[in-house]
Amino acid sequence: MTASTEWNIQSRAPACQECGERFIDQQPCHTLLRFDPNGYQRTDLCESCFLKHPCADPIHSSWKGVYQAPPPPTNKTARKEDVETLLRRLVEEQDPENIPMIFVLAVMLERKRILVERAVHTGSDGSRQYVYEHRKSGDTFFVTDPNLQLDHIDGLEEQVANQLAQTALSESQ
Ligand SMILES: [Zn+2]
């Protein structure tokens, strides 16, 4: 269980993982994903290293992004961050019971254009995993498809609302 925890949320590297040069604000950068049975491996590269990358291993997915220097903390987006905080906590906790809720949270954040789906991976057992990227921070989240029926999603959204109310409560104490 703990062995795969580190896979599930991966931050954008602050520097190119090939040449080591630090990314600066608004610099184009490339993210490469490789899947293995436990999850995925993420590599962030600057443009010139991406163009000359040897690609020794098969790359499942890659995309071009823009590095954004982390913004100073603000309270303005409190509501958005509640959903996000809950997603981060549940993804880190790795409790298989939370897989449907993690999925619903990711979809909620995708609708709000906070997350974007970057890759889908189908395992040998037919299970599906999505990699979502946070548009601003560049963090990637590994989300397992719970194969939900539509009528289950309504109930889960209610459960999410309850969880968020609890989170808000415990954070204000
Ligand atoms: Zn580089």
Side-chain angles (χ1 to χ4, degrees):
M1 215 36 122
T2 47
S4 63
T5 303
E6 66 198 75
W7 300 102
N8 294 298
I9 302 179
Q10 293 188 43
S11 298
R12 177 181 282 154
C16 172
Q17 288 171 275
E18 192 78 21
C19 69
E21 203 159 311
R22 290 189 75 83
F23 294 127
I24 55 167
D25 197 32
Q26 304 305 316
Q27 176 182 347
C29 57
H30 292 262
T31 302
L32 278 52
L33 295 184
R34 293 188 183 90
F35 283 88
D36 71 20
N38 297 316
Y40 68 98
Q41 213 174 354
R42 164 181 183 151
T43 310
D44 295 292
L45 298 176
C46 73
E47 186 121 278
S48 60
C49 288
F50 175 73
L51 293 175
K52 62 186 179 207
H53 199 69
C55 300
D57 304 312
I59 291 164
H60 179 82
S61 186
S62 75
W63 63 89
K64 187 177 177 177
V66 173
Y67 181 79
Q68 297 195 38
T74 166
N75 292 326
K76 267 192 202 160
T77 52
R79 175 74 192 169
K80 284 180 200 163
E81 293 203 309
D82 284 346
V83 178
E84 207 184 305
T85 311
L86 182 58
L87 176 70
R88 282 178 191 275
R89 183 164 63 78
L90 295 183
V91 170
E92 274 165 5
E93 279 174 8
Q94 280 281 293
D95 185 342
E97 272 193 24
N98 288 329
I99 285 175
M101 198 185 276
I102 289 169
F103 179 74
V104 168
L105 288 166
V107 169
M108 284 169 75
L109 290 169
E110 188 186 20
R111 282 195 209 126
K112 292 180 184 202
R113 301 183 53 80
I114 292 169
L115 297 185
V116 57
E117 187 191 305
R118 289 300 197 182
V120 187
H121 180 249
T122 307
S124 50
D125 59 352
S127 67
R128 253 185 314 180
Q129 277 102 28
Y130 299 95
V131 174
Y132 284 96
E133 186 189 36
H134 191 287
R135 285 177 186 269
K136 286 221 169 95
S137 68
D139 290 355
T140 44
F141 297 84
F142 196 58
V143 173
T144 302
D145 185 354
N147 290 314
L148 288 178
Q149 303 296 319
L150 275 177
D151 54 335
H152 286 162
I153 292 184
D154 286 344
L156 274 164
E157 280 184 324
E158 202 171 305
Q159 218 179 310
V160 165
N162 290 338
Q163 277 271 5
L164 288 176
Q166 281 176 21
T167 312
L169 209 65
S170 58
E171 274 171 6
S172 63
Q173 275 165 1

